[in-house]
Amino acid sequence: MRKRLMYFLYVCMLMVFSGCGYNVMQANEEAVKAAWGDVEAAYQRRNDLIPNLVEVVKAYAKHERETFIAVTEARAKVGTVKMSKDMLDNPNAFAQFQEAQSAMSSALSRLMVVVERYPDLKANQNFQDLQHQLEGTENRINVARTRYNQTVATFNTSVRIFPNNITNSILLHLKPKEPFKAEAGAEKAPKVKF
């Protein structure tokens, strides 16, 4: 009789824990961390390319000092924000990271305006190669951010739905992750003047 009771309790516990979502939430959190690693790698690639791009442009446009200073300062600011998986649970650190990356994007946009002023530079093969790599990197960043947001949505849903939310509140205490958000003013179409 005691053996049957133990077997019954074992089966009941197995059924309860298999439906509690513990493993699903753990897997989803690991997916968020992996997607974040892809975002970090894409941003690192951009940071590695920028000094080369700046040096090539500098050679052609020596008097555009302000733009180069802005790019250099933006890159330095990005370097001060430590990228880590810990920032996924800290909305303030995440916002700081996103702000630094926005400043970098803005500085790169100004650099591209400088390039437009120098047709010889646009024809330079080294610059063209770097520009293509930078464009590819920006696309990779966008893809990585999109994938990250998708995994965050899956994770956040998994910690909020029943019965996972009960398991989370009792055992795991996982917090929803922050997705990337559009930059301020992104809802307005840019004005194009010819």
Side-chain angles (χ1 to χ4, degrees):
M1 176 82 166
R2 183 178 165 116
K3 195 172 184 181
R4 277 186 158 168
L5 182 60
M6 291 299 289
Y7 179 73
F8 176 75
L9 288 174
Y10 177 74
V11 169
C12 287
M13 286 180 58
L14 186 64
M15 287 174 57
V16 167
F17 283 114
S18 67
C20 70
Y22 182 89
N23 290 336
V24 170
M25 289 184 285
Q26 294 291 334
N28 289 343
E29 185 175 40
E30 290 305 313
V32 168
K33 290 177 183 177
W36 179 250
D38 292 342
V39 170
E40 287 178 324
Y43 278 127
Q44 185 61 51
R45 184 174 193 275
R46 178 169 75 173
N47 287 344
D48 293 345
L49 283 172
I50 288 169
N52 296 326
L53 181 67
V54 168
E55 288 305 314
V56 170
V57 176
K58 254 189 197 180
Y60 277 87
K62 292 183 179 173
H63 58 282
E64 299 289 351
R65 183 180 167 106
E66 295 164 10
T67 301
F68 301 125
I69 290 171
V71 171
T72 303
E73 286 174 354
R75 185 171 185 270
K77 185 176 180 183
V78 166
T80 63
V81 177
K82 298 293 180 203
M83 292 188 296
S84 71
K85 293 184 180 18
D86 295 335
M87 82 172 34
L88 300 178
D89 294 323
N90 183 341
N92 292 334
F94 191 85
Q96 198 176 28
F97 172 80
Q98 195 169 357
E99 182 182 314
Q101 293 300 333
S102 292
M104 176 59 78
S105 295
S106 176
L108 286 174
S109 295
R110 286 189 302 233
L111 182 62
M112 291 303 148
V113 168
V114 168
V115 169
E116 291 297 319
R117 294 183 192 153
Y118 297 91
D120 291 342
L121 175 59
K122 289 191 297 185
N124 179 292
Q125 187 62 45
N126 289 337
F127 175 76
Q128 285 180 347
D129 291 344
L130 285 169
Q131 187 176 22
H132 289 302
Q133 288 182 30
L134 193 57
E135 288 170 3
T137 299
E138 292 299 320
N139 287 336
R140 287 177 182 167
I141 289 170
N142 188 46
V143 168
R145 288 171 66 165
T146 300
R147 288 181 182 159
Y148 171 78
N149 281 352
Q150 290 168 344
T151 59
V152 164
T154 301
F155 172 79
N156 288 349
T157 301
S158 74
V159 298
R160 294 181 63 205
I161 61 173
F162 182 82
N164 296 8
N165 60 347
I166 295 170
T167 303
N168 187 39
S169 66
I170 295 171
L171 297 175
L172 298 171
H173 310 288
L174 299 172
K175 296 176 185 167
K177 307 295 183 197
E178 286 292 315
F180 276 99
K181 297 175 182 89
E183 295 175 21
E187 69 280 357
K188 297 175 188 170
K191 294 180 182 178
V192 179
K193 294 181 182 178
F194 292 102

